[in-house]
Amino acid sequence: MSIAIDCSNISSDGAVALNDGLIEEIASSHSAGTMVYLFCNNEYTPSISVENFEIVRINHSNRISHFFWYIFVLNKLLRRLKCNHLYLLGGYYLG
């Protein structure tokens, strides 16, 4: 199973704590072998580590606007990675 979390528009404070809580919840409710893809900007790094699944961090380039990121880049990545779920933290999804 593959799960994607789009946290490309967060960098600090409460949003980071919310994302860390989401990762902990995913870890407790999904089995081993689950892949979690974090689409994030250069400023965000998760502050927790989880043992039963792998977290892959994919950086969002700040050179293109968020609008184009959602429409052109994120859709293709989700299809290529065969993600079953997409979680959006404080964002919107136009795909």
Side-chain angles (χ1 to χ4, degrees):
M1 173 181 275
S2 296
I3 299 172
I5 301 173
D6 178 28
C7 46
S8 60
N9 60 346
I10 67 171
S11 58
S12 63
D13 300 328
V16 172
L18 177 68
N19 193 49
D20 290 346
L22 178 62
I23 292 172
E24 288 176 352
E25 184 63 32
I26 290 170
S28 66
S29 62
H30 289 82
S31 62
T34 300
M35 294 290 294
V36 175
Y37 297 99
L38 290 178
F39 300 108
C40 47
N41 58 22
N42 295 333
E43 300 171 8
Y44 173 71
T45 302
S47 61
I48 65 168
S49 62
V50 182
E51 297 175 2
N52 65 337
F53 61 82
E54 185 178 352
I55 297 176
V56 178
R57 190 171 184 266
I58 300 172
N59 284 337
H60 164 247
S61 173
N62 291 330
R63 290 179 283 164
I64 60 173
S65 73
H66 221 67
F67 178 77
F68 292 117
W69 160 255
Y70 278 121
I71 291 179
F72 298 112
V73 179
L74 186 59
N75 282 334
K76 291 179 184 175
L77 283 173
L78 292 174
R79 278 189 225 116
R80 188 180 66 192
L81 298 172
K82 297 180 177 127
C83 290
N84 301 87
H85 302 286
L86 172 65
Y87 294 98
L88 300 169
L89 300 175
Y92 53 91
Y93 182 59
L94 302 172

